[in-house]
């Protein structure tokens, strides 16, 4: 079983992953020990920078008694000599029991899945999808708000190139959450994703006014403008710093609104917000460990 897109999952399957992740929490925190993945090896191939995704996958593997190998920078591997993704995947497939892949090209994880007999987990394919991030985002929402459905989620930032929000908005639509998209006019949610969301009976609002949208939000999901995806640096400069979450913005928000961010943040969230009870982004980053433990255990057949 590969994990390439959030569309590969039903709502019931996602809920099951979150339930398994909940059971993993004591091991994720280091309070209990586990040998569930004893002897298993994860191949971790990161063709793009990563901190949380790579380290939380490796932490997840280690907490379950397994091991990881791979690269965090293709320059040090045969990729620098011109090896194709297909050949690299064929090799790692022979060395490991599962492969986690981050790659700048959309569709790379799906392609890797064709060349690997072992499960492939998509850790981000260009501006495409980031399904394991979505699982930990949903886990965080469910933990903080008690449920996912019925929440009004405002998603702000780079909706055009941001892969986290492509996967997340589709999953939230599956749960029947109310969605508002806030972005500069040039970075609005791509039509293809909007269509998919609408096909599930959700009518998302789209706009550019964050102050207005925040007033009625239960969850504010903030994202970074994806500088590396802009064909023209001048275009990036036009939208950099378009939105800023600071204490002044929060004045009109619901008291129990939670603020999330997949991180890294550049300057979208002022550090003063960190100490407010609304800030959930660091807890969200930790949740990557139990959720990825659950996903690894499931694809490796160690839990149902
Ligand atoms: C995100 C990504 O790589 O898409 N980071 C992450 O996995 N937590 C978000 C980003 O880079 O802006």
């Amino acid at each position: 079983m590969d994990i390439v897109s959030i569309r590969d999952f039903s709502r019931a399957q996602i809920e099951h992953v979150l339930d398994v992740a909940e059971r993993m929490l004591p091991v994720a925190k280091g309070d209990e020990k586990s040998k569930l993945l004893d002897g298993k090896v994860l191949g971790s191939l990161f063709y793009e920078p990563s901190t949380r995704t790579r380290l939380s996958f490796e932490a997840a593997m280690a907490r379950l008694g397994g091991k990881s190998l791979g690269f965090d920078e293709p320059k040090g591997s045969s990729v620098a000599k011109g090896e194709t993704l297909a050949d690299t995947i064929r090799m790692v497939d022979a060395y490991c029991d599962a492969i986690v892949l981050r790659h700048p090209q959309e569709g790379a994880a799906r392609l890797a899945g064709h060349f690997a007999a072992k499960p492939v987990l998509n850790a981000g394919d260009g501006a495409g999808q980031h399904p394991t991030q979505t699982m930990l985002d949903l886990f965080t929402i469910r933990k903080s708000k008690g449920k996912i459905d019925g929440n009004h989620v405002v998603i702000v930032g780079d909706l055009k190139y941001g892969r986290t929000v492509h996967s997340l908005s589709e999953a939230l639509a599956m749960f029947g959450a109310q969605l508002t998209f806030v972005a500069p006019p040039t970075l609005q949610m791509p039509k293809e994703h909007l269509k998919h969301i609408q096909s599930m009976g959700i009518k998302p609002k789209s706009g550019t006014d964050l102050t207005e949208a925040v007033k009625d939000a239960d969850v504010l999901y903030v994202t970074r403008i994806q500088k590396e995806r802009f064909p023209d640096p001048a275009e990036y400069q036009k939208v950099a710093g378009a939105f800023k979450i600071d204490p002044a913005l929060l004045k009109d928000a619901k008291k129990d609104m939670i603020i999330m961010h997949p991180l890294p943040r550049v300057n979208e969230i002022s550090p003063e917000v960190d100490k407010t009870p609304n800030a959930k982004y660091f807890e969200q980053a930790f949740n990557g460990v139990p959720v990825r433990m659950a996903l690894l255990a499931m694809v490796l057949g160690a839990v149902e």
Side-chain angles (χ1 to χ4, degrees), residues 29-51:
K29 288 179 181 158
D31 295 339
E32 284 174 22
K33 300 246 176 300
S34 169
K35 286 277 165 214
L36 198 63
L37 296 183
D38 188 21
K40 296 288 185 193
V41 180
L42 175 69
S44 151
L45 308 184
F46 280 75
Y47 289 74
E48 276 195 336
S50 171
T51 301

mmCIF file of all heavy atoms in Angstrom, residues 29-51:
data_model
loop_
_atom_site.group_PDB
_atom_site.id
_atom_site.type_symbol
_atom_site.label_atom_id
_atom_site.label_comp_id
_atom_site.label_asym_id
_atom_site.label_seq_id
_atom_site.Cartn_x
_atom_site.Cartn_y
_atom_site.Cartn_z
ATOM 1 N N LYS A 29 6.117 9.725 22.876
ATOM 2 C CA LYS A 29 6.674 10.632 23.893
ATOM 3 C C LYS A 29 7.868 10.022 24.610
ATOM 4 O O LYS A 29 8.529 10.692 25.398
ATOM 5 C CB LYS A 29 5.591 10.964 24.924
ATOM 6 C CG LYS A 29 4.510 11.879 24.383
ATOM 7 C CD LYS A 29 3.461 12.156 25.455
ATOM 8 C CE LYS A 29 2.375 13.062 24.899
ATOM 9 N NZ LYS A 29 1.111 12.946 25.666
ATOM 10 N N GLY A 30 8.113 8.729 24.406
ATOM 11 C CA GLY A 30 9.230 8.077 25.074
ATOM 12 C C GLY A 30 8.862 7.538 26.441
ATOM 13 O O GLY A 30 9.724 7.066 27.184
ATOM 14 N N ASP A 31 7.586 7.567 26.816
ATOM 15 C CA ASP A 31 7.153 7.056 28.122
ATOM 16 C C ASP A 31 7.060 5.532 28.135
ATOM 17 O O ASP A 31 7.129 4.903 29.172
ATOM 18 C CB ASP A 31 5.781 7.639 28.505
ATOM 19 C CG ASP A 31 5.849 9.142 28.713
ATOM 20 O OD1 ASP A 31 6.970 9.648 28.959
ATOM 21 O OD2 ASP A 31 4.797 9.820 28.612
ATOM 22 N N GLU A 32 6.834 4.962 26.945
ATOM 23 C CA GLU A 32 6.793 3.496 26.835
ATOM 24 C C GLU A 32 7.709 3.061 25.696
ATOM 25 O O GLU A 32 7.968 3.841 24.792
ATOM 26 C CB GLU A 32 5.357 3.030 26.522
ATOM 27 C CG GLU A 32 4.436 3.085 27.719
ATOM 28 C CD GLU A 32 2.980 2.749 27.353
ATOM 29 O OE1 GLU A 32 2.751 2.089 26.315
ATOM 30 O OE2 GLU A 32 2.099 3.164 28.112
ATOM 31 N N LYS A 33 8.164 1.809 25.752
ATOM 32 C CA LYS A 33 9.051 1.304 24.682
ATOM 33 C C LYS A 33 8.264 0.363 23.774
ATOM 34 O O LYS A 33 7.303 -0.271 24.197
ATOM 35 C CB LYS A 33 10.217 0.515 25.301
ATOM 36 C CG LYS A 33 11.082 1.334 26.249
ATOM 37 C CD LYS A 33 12.490 1.496 25.673
ATOM 38 C CE LYS A 33 13.366 2.392 26.528
ATOM 39 N NZ LYS A 33 12.857 3.762 26.681
ATOM 40 N N SER A 34 8.715 0.267 22.512
ATOM 41 C CA SER A 34 8.038 -0.623 21.572
ATOM 42 C C SER A 34 9.050 -1.273 20.640
ATOM 43 O O SER A 34 10.054 -0.668 20.277
ATOM 44 C CB SER A 34 7.028 0.177 20.745
ATOM 45 O OG SER A 34 6.560 -0.611 19.670
ATOM 46 N N LYS A 35 8.754 -2.512 20.256
ATOM 47 C CA LYS A 35 9.601 -3.234 19.288
ATOM 48 C C LYS A 35 8.757 -3.621 18.075
ATOM 49 O O LYS A 35 9.074 -4.577 17.359
ATOM 50 C CB LYS A 35 10.187 -4.497 19.948
ATOM 51 C CG LYS A 35 11.305 -4.196 20.933
ATOM 52 C CD LYS A 35 12.636 -4.018 20.189
ATOM 53 C CE LYS A 35 13.697 -3.368 21.043
ATOM 54 N NZ LYS A 35 14.585 -2.498 20.245
ATOM 55 N N LEU A 36 7.687 -2.871 17.880
ATOM 56 C CA LEU A 36 6.724 -3.203 16.827
ATOM 57 C C LEU A 36 7.375 -3.323 15.445
ATOM 58 O O LEU A 36 7.001 -4.182 14.649
ATOM 59 C CB LEU A 36 5.636 -2.113 16.803
ATOM 60 C CG LEU A 36 4.335 -2.428 16.114
ATOM 61 C CD1 LEU A 36 3.618 -3.592 16.811
ATOM 62 C CD2 LEU A 36 3.421 -1.197 16.107
ATOM 63 N N LEU A 37 8.344 -2.461 15.158
ATOM 64 C CA LEU A 37 8.996 -2.507 13.840
ATOM 65 C C LEU A 37 10.451 -2.968 13.951
ATOM 66 O O LEU A 37 11.299 -2.579 13.141
ATOM 67 C CB LEU A 37 8.898 -1.135 13.156
ATOM 68 C CG LEU A 37 7.475 -0.670 12.811
ATOM 69 C CD1 LEU A 37 7.497 0.667 12.079
ATOM 70 C CD2 LEU A 37 6.711 -1.707 11.981
ATOM 71 N N ASP A 38 10.695 -3.810 14.934
ATOM 72 C CA ASP A 38 12.035 -4.367 15.143
ATOM 73 C C ASP A 38 12.538 -5.026 13.850
ATOM 74 O O ASP A 38 11.827 -5.835 13.247
ATOM 75 C CB ASP A 38 11.951 -5.415 16.271
ATOM 76 C CG ASP A 38 13.325 -5.900 16.699
ATOM 77 O OD1 ASP A 38 14.308 -5.188 16.445
ATOM 78 O OD2 ASP A 38 13.402 -6.994 17.281
ATOM 79 N N GLY A 39 13.729 -4.669 13.420
ATOM 80 C CA GLY A 39 14.314 -5.279 12.220
ATOM 81 C C GLY A 39 13.875 -4.643 10.909
ATOM 82 O O GLY A 39 14.385 -4.981 9.853
ATOM 83 N N LYS A 40 12.931 -3.726 10.965
ATOM 84 C CA LYS A 40 12.463 -3.083 9.717
ATOM 85 C C LYS A 40 13.338 -1.871 9.392
ATOM 86 O O LYS A 40 13.842 -1.188 10.293
ATOM 87 C CB LYS A 40 11.013 -2.605 9.876
ATOM 88 C CG LYS A 40 10.019 -3.722 10.101
ATOM 89 C CD LYS A 40 9.796 -4.523 8.835
ATOM 90 C CE LYS A 40 8.698 -5.560 9.053
ATOM 91 N NZ LYS A 40 8.672 -6.549 7.964
ATOM 92 N N VAL A 41 13.494 -1.621 8.093
ATOM 93 C CA VAL A 41 14.357 -0.518 7.641
ATOM 94 C C VAL A 41 13.549 0.429 6.737
ATOM 95 O O VAL A 41 12.865 -0.016 5.816
ATOM 96 C CB VAL A 41 15.579 -1.069 6.864
ATOM 97 C CG1 VAL A 41 16.473 0.069 6.387
ATOM 98 C CG2 VAL A 41 16.374 -2.040 7.735
ATOM 99 N N LEU A 42 13.649 1.719 7.040
ATOM 100 C CA LEU A 42 12.984 2.747 6.234
ATOM 101 C C LEU A 42 14.016 3.456 5.366
ATOM 102 O O LEU A 42 15.045 3.918 5.866
ATOM 103 C CB LEU A 42 12.298 3.771 7.163
ATOM 104 C CG LEU A 42 11.655 4.978 6.464
ATOM 105 C CD1 LEU A 42 10.428 4.550 5.652
ATOM 106 C CD2 LEU A 42 11.254 6.046 7.488
ATOM 107 N N GLY A 43 13.757 3.536 4.078
ATOM 108 C CA GLY A 43 14.607 4.316 3.170
ATOM 109 C C GLY A 43 14.036 5.720 3.088
ATOM 110 O O GLY A 43 12.867 5.902 2.751
ATOM 111 N N SER A 44 14.857 6.706 3.409
ATOM 112 C CA SER A 44 14.341 8.069 3.512
ATOM 113 C C SER A 44 15.065 8.952 2.493
ATOM 114 O O SER A 44 16.245 9.274 2.653
ATOM 115 C CB SER A 44 14.556 8.472 4.973
ATOM 116 O OG SER A 44 14.732 9.818 5.147
ATOM 117 N N LEU A 45 14.375 9.266 1.401
ATOM 118 C CA LEU A 45 14.995 9.960 0.269
ATOM 119 C C LEU A 45 14.435 11.369 0.154
ATOM 120 O O LEU A 45 13.287 11.564 -0.266
ATOM 121 C CB LEU A 45 14.725 9.202 -1.031
ATOM 122 C CG LEU A 45 15.071 7.697 -1.030
ATOM 123 C CD1 LEU A 45 14.834 7.108 -2.412
ATOM 124 C CD2 LEU A 45 16.509 7.473 -0.590
ATOM 125 N N PHE A 46 15.235 12.345 0.528
ATOM 126 C CA PHE A 46 14.781 13.735 0.505
ATOM 127 C C PHE A 46 15.561 14.536 -0.529
ATOM 128 O O PHE A 46 16.707 14.874 -0.318
ATOM 129 C CB PHE A 46 14.865 14.344 1.914
ATOM 130 C CG PHE A 46 13.685 13.945 2.765
ATOM 131 C CD1 PHE A 46 13.595 12.665 3.288
ATOM 132 C CD2 PHE A 46 12.645 14.834 2.994
ATOM 133 C CE1 PHE A 46 12.482 12.277 4.023
ATOM 134 C CE2 PHE A 46 11.532 14.453 3.735
ATOM 135 C CZ PHE A 46 11.455 13.173 4.251
ATOM 136 N N TYR A 47 14.881 14.802 -1.640
ATOM 137 C CA TYR A 47 15.472 15.591 -2.730
ATOM 138 C C TYR A 47 15.232 17.082 -2.518
ATOM 139 O O TYR A 47 15.633 17.891 -3.347
ATOM 140 C CB TYR A 47 14.832 15.186 -4.070
ATOM 141 C CG TYR A 47 15.222 13.808 -4.571
ATOM 142 C CD1 TYR A 47 14.712 12.663 -3.974
ATOM 143 C CD2 TYR A 47 16.084 13.651 -5.650
ATOM 144 C CE1 TYR A 47 15.044 11.397 -4.446
ATOM 145 C CE2 TYR A 47 16.419 12.392 -6.133
ATOM 146 C CZ TYR A 47 15.904 11.276 -5.519
ATOM 147 O OH TYR A 47 16.237 10.029 -5.995
ATOM 148 N N GLU A 48 14.505 17.426 -1.446
ATOM 149 C CA GLU A 48 14.233 18.837 -1.107
ATOM 150 C C GLU A 48 14.447 18.989 0.385
ATOM 151 O O GLU A 48 14.317 18.019 1.130
ATOM 152 C CB GLU A 48 12.753 19.166 -1.378
ATOM 153 C CG GLU A 48 12.424 19.531 -2.786
ATOM 154 C CD GLU A 48 11.040 20.187 -2.884
ATOM 155 O OE1 GLU A 48 10.183 19.960 -2.010
ATOM 156 O OE2 GLU A 48 10.843 20.934 -3.845
ATOM 157 N N PRO A 49 14.744 20.224 0.840
ATOM 158 C CA PRO A 49 14.990 20.440 2.271
ATOM 159 C C PRO A 49 13.813 20.018 3.141
ATOM 160 O O PRO A 49 12.656 20.084 2.718
ATOM 161 C CB PRO A 49 15.186 21.959 2.381
ATOM 162 C CG PRO A 49 15.541 22.418 1.008
ATOM 163 C CD PRO A 49 14.879 21.470 0.063
ATOM 164 N N SER A 50 14.132 19.580 4.341
ATOM 165 C CA SER A 50 13.100 19.169 5.301
ATOM 166 C C SER A 50 13.716 19.167 6.695
ATOM 167 O O SER A 50 14.892 18.839 6.852
ATOM 168 C CB SER A 50 12.634 17.755 4.965
ATOM 169 O OG SER A 50 11.802 17.257 5.987
ATOM 170 N N THR A 51 12.937 19.523 7.677
ATOM 171 C CA THR A 51 13.355 19.336 9.072
ATOM 172 C C THR A 51 12.359 18.406 9.746
ATOM 173 O O THR A 51 12.668 17.273 10.099
ATOM 174 C CB THR A 51 13.415 20.687 9.816
ATOM 175 O OG1 THR A 51 14.340 21.523 9.142
ATOM 176 C CG2 THR A 51 13.871 20.497 11.262
#
